[in-house]
Amino acid sequence: MKRFYKNAGTSAVEDGFAVQLDGRNIKTPAKAGLVLPALALAEAVAVEWQAQGEEIDPQSMPIMTLASTVIDRVVPNHAEVAEIVASYGESDLLCYRATAEQPELVKRQQDAWQPWLDWAMRQLDAPLSVTEGIMHVDQPSDSLNALKTVVEACDAYELASLHEFTSLTGSLVLGIAVLKGELEAGTAFDLAHVDEEHQAELWGRDEEAEARLEKRKGDLLNAAEFLRFLRLA
């Protein structure tokens, strides 16, 4: 699509802050008004629109994309999305460890992951069980309920960010740590990919695999920026 406007900006409206193109409020892909709860978030979307060249590239507007997702998908399906996010606690990545045949990887996982399981036990009242291999291990129902309570307390914008943090790391514990500001998003991604880094060191790096990881890390960092803008005063 060719650029059809000169200037992007924001405007205060009754329910928050609208993003405007040449003074006209824009809409989401589902034709809902793009009205955001924080001025900084609306301004970040406007900056993405202003930065477009002669051709509009939606892939270069991650904040706009996530904002639209919140309005079109998360707001009308809040309980369902919360259930999906909370379900990651049942099979959290941090609970599944390498077997004794890989002692170096076992140590790496222990050093990287156990501190955050300990944090979840102390700060979230959610101790989780650890196992070797990939066979499913049942988690304490009280712990799962404690994690679910945190998820359900999120507003739609926080929930969308948490969904990204959790799905891109495979860990609800890491996702909540990022949400609460206890862990940097980039660090969380690196912690979640201890296995991949170990394999790359053993067998060499694959350019396509590395590119996929970089794309996923970029998506995680974009979600963290989205949350930061949301929380700016």
Side-chain angles (χ1 to χ4, degrees), residues 53-121:
E54 293 183 3
E55 296 286 335
I56 297 174
D57 177 15
Q59 298 297 318
S60 68
M61 294 192 283
I63 306 300
M64 169 66 187
T65 299
L66 194 49
S68 298
T69 297
V70 172
I71 295 169
D72 289 345
R73 299 183 184 179
V74 180
V75 170
N77 302 291
H78 191 283
E80 180 181 347
V81 176
E83 188 71 29
I84 291 171
V85 174
S87 70
Y88 276 84
E90 299 171 10
S91 56
D92 197 289
L93 170 74
L94 307 190
C95 298
Y96 293 84
R97 308 294 177 83
T99 60
E101 288 78 15
Q102 297 176 287
E104 183 179 342
L105 182 55
V106 168
K107 184 178 187 308
R108 285 193 180 195
Q109 292 173 338
Q110 174 71 14
D111 292 345
W113 296 351
Q114 193 59 44
W116 292 103
L117 288 181
D118 294 342
W119 172 83
M121 178 176 62

Side-chain angles (χ1 to χ4, degrees), residues 79-181:
E80 180 181 347
V81 176
E83 188 71 29
I84 291 171
V85 174
S87 70
Y88 276 84
E90 299 171 10
S91 56
D92 197 289
L93 170 74
L94 307 190
C95 298
Y96 293 84
R97 308 294 177 83
T99 60
E101 288 78 15
Q102 297 176 287
E104 183 179 342
L105 182 55
V106 168
K107 184 178 187 308
R108 285 193 180 195
Q109 292 173 338
Q110 174 71 14
D111 292 345
W113 296 351
Q114 193 59 44
W116 292 103
L117 288 181
D118 294 342
W119 172 83
M121 178 176 62
R122 293 191 312 271
Q123 300 298 322
L124 306 178
D125 196 24
L128 297 176
S129 301
V130 173
T131 188
E132 290 185 2
I134 60 174
M135 293 298 292
H136 179 75
V137 58
D138 291 333
Q139 298 296 346
S141 59
D142 288 348
S143 297
L144 295 178
N145 287 334
L147 294 173
K148 188 174 183 179
T149 296
V150 176
V151 175
E152 291 178 337
C154 294
D155 65 30
Y157 293 85
E158 293 171 332
L159 184 58
S161 300
L162 180 57
H163 180 276
E164 291 294 284
F165 302 153
T166 300
S167 63
L168 290 167
T169 61
S171 170
L172 181 55
V173 170
L174 293 181
I176 291 175
V178 176
L179 178 75
K180 289 184 171 291

